Amino acid sequence: MHHKDCSSQLEAQSVYQKNVREIMKVRAAGEKPLAFVRTYGCQQNVADSEKIKGELAQMGFSFTEEADKADLILFNTCAVREHAEDRVYGNIGALKNLKRRRPSLIIAICGCMMEQEHAAERIRKTFPFVNLVFGTHGIHRLPEMLSTVLTDSCRVFSRGEEEDTVVEGIPVQRDGAYKAWLTVMYGCNNFCSYCVVPYVRGRERSREPEAIIQEFSEILAAGYKEITLLGQNVNSYGKTLQTPISFAQLLQKLDAFPGDYRIRFMTSHPKDATHELIDTIAQSRHISHHIHLPFQSGSDRVLKEMNRVYDREKYLSLVRYIREKIPDASLTSDVIVGFPGETYEEFQQTLSLIEEVGFTSLYTFIYSPREGTRAAKMPDPVPRGEKSRWMDELLRTQEKIAEKRCAAMVGRVERVLVEERAKSGLLSGRTDGNVIIEFPGSEEMIGTFRDVRVIEAGIWVLKGKLENDSLKNRKNGGFYYG
């Protein structure tokens, strides 16, 4: 595995950038060409789209939220669940008439779906009006691919190339004004039996800490208040580097930056979640006390079939350590319902784990077979309708837990990053534990941290009122030094 910086990879793209800029200027008759970028799936895809937008901006594009006004339409796709793929195919099909009316429109499909041969082949055969298809590894070559489409009037398909590289220096056009994504590593080595990610995003490769620290400092300097570190399994960060460094050590370096900001991270795999990591969060000044720790199933047999490499007791012992070191920790998780061969009794073990831990919230999914994974070949005798009934039972269980947890927050003062004006007319933000809270306040508070007292609890959303501004850092019971 090797790293490449902007010098060789990105300098080669500058010629293509210029070519695209000149062709699009003529096509748009002197106006700025418009790009419509739509992202499906996880936060890593959102971060990838911000790089794609950064490159498009360098090629002279502005952006629009209206596809029918765009000169270029790009879908960044997700392959994790069948439903996401079906939506993509439906939305691509809907572009056919738009392309017929405006033949010069460029349609590009990229991302995880396009790293699957069967999906890329379906685009090739079923949607001949799609001009450009590329996967997760070729983002830095977008100017070259777009230049080829425009110059040679041909379709370009590119996938699976340069899987072992980390290309630094790709420009980023961030969507948010206060919250930023920062990728620390790419790919996954875990091969959970239900998951397609290692096949579409390649093997684990970590960015050098110096590159991450540099980007982190730039994000802070630009005024962002919340930075979320991204990786398919951030706890594996650093293992592929020539000079290994743990994720906890990276967090310590970032937490040392002065300022009024918050660090979040995802996703954390329980098999690699260390006591060092938990201790680092507990002792930090800026790291959120919210930990997303997917457990997927409460049954040891099912966990083994999933190839999760931990059992129920290891997961629960980790939770106990978190509760001991970070008493106010907010835990969220992912759960798969109806894994192939799972029995109702095994599903009940999942419910009992949920009740024992007391999660703040859960991301729940009925198992969806993914072509090329081991689980897709397993016998799956439980009908979909039965799995749906299990899911309803799980949601009712979690709803009661969430209601109780929210009720226990009434009277507490929470440090909240104010994000927007909600539909209710109130300001809306998230607590350190990642719970939404709404409260009265003025527009200029958006993008700042405020102390908010919880006065009312719903199931998923809290109601609050502003406290007098103070520097108290409630989560540590000491003072917030910022």
Side-chain angles (χ1 to χ4, degrees), residues 79-91:
V80 171
R81 274 172 292 283
E82 192 174 9
H83 176 64
E85 289 196 3
D86 291 342
R87 272 174 57 219
V88 169
Y89 288 130
N91 289 328

Side-chain angles (χ1 to χ4, degrees), residues 203-446:
R203 296 299 70 73
E204 281 178 6
R205 51 219 188 276
S206 297
R207 295 178 66 192
E208 293 289 349
E210 294 77 16
I212 295 167
I213 290 164
Q214 175 64 30
E215 186 174 350
F216 188 84
S217 68
E218 289 166 3
I219 290 170
L220 287 181
Y224 288 90
K225 297 296 183 184
E226 185 174 291
I227 300 106
T228 302
L229 311 180
L230 297 177
Q232 302 306 142
N233 173 18
V234 288
N235 297 338
S236 286
Y237 172 78
K239 292 179 181 177
T240 60
L241 296 173
Q242 281 188 325
T243 308
I245 171 176
S246 71
F247 183 56
Q249 289 167 332
L250 176 69
L251 281 173
Q252 289 161 18
K253 289 176 184 291
L254 300 180
D255 183 54
F257 275 83
D260 190 13
Y261 64 91
R262 177 186 284 155
I263 299 172
R264 297 190 188 275
F265 60 85
M266 62 193 313
T267 294
S268 232
H269 196 299
K271 78 176 176 65
D272 302 308
T274 60
H275 285 191
E276 180 197 23
L277 173 65
I278 308 309
D279 294 342
T280 296
I281 297 167
Q283 294 156 14
S284 72
R285 291 187 296 168
H286 301 102
I287 305 170
S288 166
H289 284 191
H290 165 234
I291 302 172
H292 186 67
L293 195 65
F295 73 90
Q296 306 297 5
S297 171
S299 158
D300 284 348
R301 189 199 69 81
V302 174
L303 286 170
K304 193 170 183 184
E305 288 295 307
M306 288 178 166
N307 193 34
R308 291 293 286 173
V309 205
Y310 57 85
D311 58 17
R312 179 190 179 101
E313 180 47 38
K314 183 178 176 188
Y315 186 88
L316 288 173
S317 69
L318 186 59
V319 168
R320 286 192 291 270
Y321 191 80
I322 292 169
R323 297 280 190 225
E324 177 195 334
K325 295 291 181 179
I326 315 170
D328 66 341
S330 169
L331 288 171
T332 57
S333 195
D334 297 345
V335 191
I336 294 173
V337 172
F339 184 79
E342 182 178 13
T343 65
Y344 182 66
E345 289 70 31
E346 288 166 335
F347 166 70
Q348 289 288 315
Q349 292 172 38
T350 293
L351 286 190
S352 71
L353 188 145
I354 288 168
E355 288 172 327
E356 188 170 340
V357 174
F359 292 98
T360 301
S361 63
L362 293 174
Y363 298 86
T364 55
F365 313 97
I366 293 176
Y367 170 74
S368 172
R370 305 282 69 212
E371 189 174 315
T373 62
R374 189 160 59 82
K377 300 184 182 76
M378 294 178 183
D380 192 5
V382 178
R384 177 86 181 186
E386 179 67 14
K387 293 180 182 183
S388 294
R389 284 189 286 276
W390 297 1
M391 175 66 91
D392 290 341
E393 193 176 344
L394 187 154
L395 294 175
R396 285 195 302 273
T397 301
Q398 178 56 32
E399 203 167 281
K400 287 177 190 166
I401 293 166
E403 194 170 14
K404 197 173 167 185
R405 283 191 69 87
C406 284
M409 294 177 74
V410 173
R412 274 170 46 180
V413 174
E414 296 284 340
R415 187 164 176 266
V416 174
L417 175 60
V418 189
E419 294 178 22
E420 61 186 357
R421 181 75 67 186
K423 287 178 183 172
S424 63
L426 300 170
L427 291 180
S428 175
R430 287 177 186 268
T431 68
D432 184 71
N434 210 35
V435 179
I436 296 169
I437 184 164
E438 295 181 353
F439 52 94
S442 56
E443 210 77 17
E444 67 265 18
M445 292 178 183
I446 294 173

Side-chain angles (χ1 to χ4, degrees), residues 105-158:
L105 171 67
I106 303 157
I107 297 175
I109 316 295
C110 69
C112 293
M113 262 177 78
M114 298 304 100
E115 286 292 351
Q116 299 175 107
E117 196 166 341
H118 67 91
E121 196 55 31
R122 182 170 171 182
I123 299 293
R124 189 193 299 273
K125 289 179 177 173
T126 313
F127 305 104
F129 53 86
V130 171
N131 305 92
L132 170 60
V133 169
F134 61 101
T136 58
H137 307 290
I139 290 171
H140 62 285
R141 290 183 51 243
L142 178 59
E144 183 182 347
M145 293 184 284
L146 209 45
S147 176
T148 304
V149 168
L150 291 167
T151 306
D152 299 344
S153 301
C154 65
R155 303 175 81 194
V156 172
F157 283 73
S158 173

